Amino acid sequence: MPAEPWYEQGLRFECTRCGNCCTGPSGTVLVAPEELAALAERLELARHEFRASYTRTLPSGAISLRERERADGSHECVFWDAGAGCRVYAQRPRQCRTWPFWRGTVETPVHWENAAETCPGIGTGPLYSAAAIEECVTDDGTLGTKPDLD
């Protein structure tokens, strides 16, 4: 029988929409085909137009949202707006929706505490059960899929 996860009593999180997870070091925000289609529709673009303007293909073949370089050398998601927040919040990719309940973030208490250093929502808000966290971890959006190309 598998041991209980270290977070068996649950974890608290409430998004403050601070943008810290949308900005900072360069990274990837993986986009599944259905997410790509929803984002293209939200922006009233054909899928190929959306792909050309807002995504990049990774060496693995997975699709990631583009980033912009900031004046200080850090990066931000192409959809992050410092004044308004995420411009596609309702259609944001699964990887964004499952933060901070990613497999790497909840792997150990130390990983969780490290994430909390830059995420003010960790440790606040509603309590998420271990079962709800496991559901996110199982499909957190961080592994990526190869899109069906148009």
Side-chain angles (χ1 to χ4, degrees), residues 12-31:
R12 292 192 180 280
F13 174 70
E14 184 166 39
C15 182
T16 65
R17 301 200 57 185
C18 67
N20 289 352
C21 58
C22 307
T23 61
S26 184
T28 58
V29 175
L30 301 173
V31 185

Side-chain angles (χ1 to χ4, degrees), residues 28-31 35 58 60 62-63 93-96 98-105 136-145:
T28 58
V29 175
L30 301 173
V31 185
E35 295 168 337
L58 303 175
S60 67
I63 301 299
R94 180 160 187 76
Q95 183 176 340
C96 301
T98 59
W99 171 260
F101 302 117
W102 294 350
R103 59 184 50 82
T105 307
C136 283
V137 167
T138 300
D139 184 19
D140 64 8
T142 64
L143 293 180
T145 59

Side-chain angles (χ1 to χ4, degrees), residues 7-147:
Y7 50 83
E8 65 185 285
Q9 299 301 310
L11 295 170
R12 292 192 180 280
F13 174 70
E14 184 166 39
C15 182
T16 65
R17 301 200 57 185
C18 67
N20 289 352
C21 58
C22 307
T23 61
S26 184
T28 58
V29 175
L30 301 173
V31 185
E34 63 276 6
E35 295 168 337
L36 192 145
L39 287 164
E41 183 177 326
R42 162 79 165 77
L43 298 176
E44 299 179 351
L45 294 172
R47 284 179 41 164
H48 70 278
E49 292 173 312
F50 177 84
R51 291 246 355 247
S53 297
Y54 296 104
T55 70
R56 61 191 170 104
T57 303
L58 303 175
S60 67
I63 301 299
S64 175
L65 294 179
R66 290 185 188 269
E67 300 173 308
R68 294 184 297 251
E69 188 166 351
R70 300 167 86 179
D72 65 1
S74 65
H75 294 82
E76 64 187 12
C77 175
V78 69
F79 292 117
W80 176 251
D81 179 300
C86 178
R87 294 185 299 121
V88 295
Y89 192 81
Q91 286 81 29
R92 69 197 185 282
R94 180 160 187 76
Q95 183 176 340
C96 301
R97 287 178 291 158
T98 59
W99 171 260
F101 302 117
W102 294 350
R103 59 184 50 82
T105 307
V106 299
E107 185 177 359
T108 68
V110 171
H111 286 91
W112 184 253
E113 291 165 14
N114 287 342
E117 290 178 13
T118 58
C119 179
I122 290 178
T124 67
L127 182 68
Y128 288 81
S129 69
I133 295 165
E134 285 298 314
E135 186 176 325
C136 283
V137 167
T138 300
D139 184 19
D140 64 8
T142 64
L143 293 180
T145 59
K146 292 185 181 170

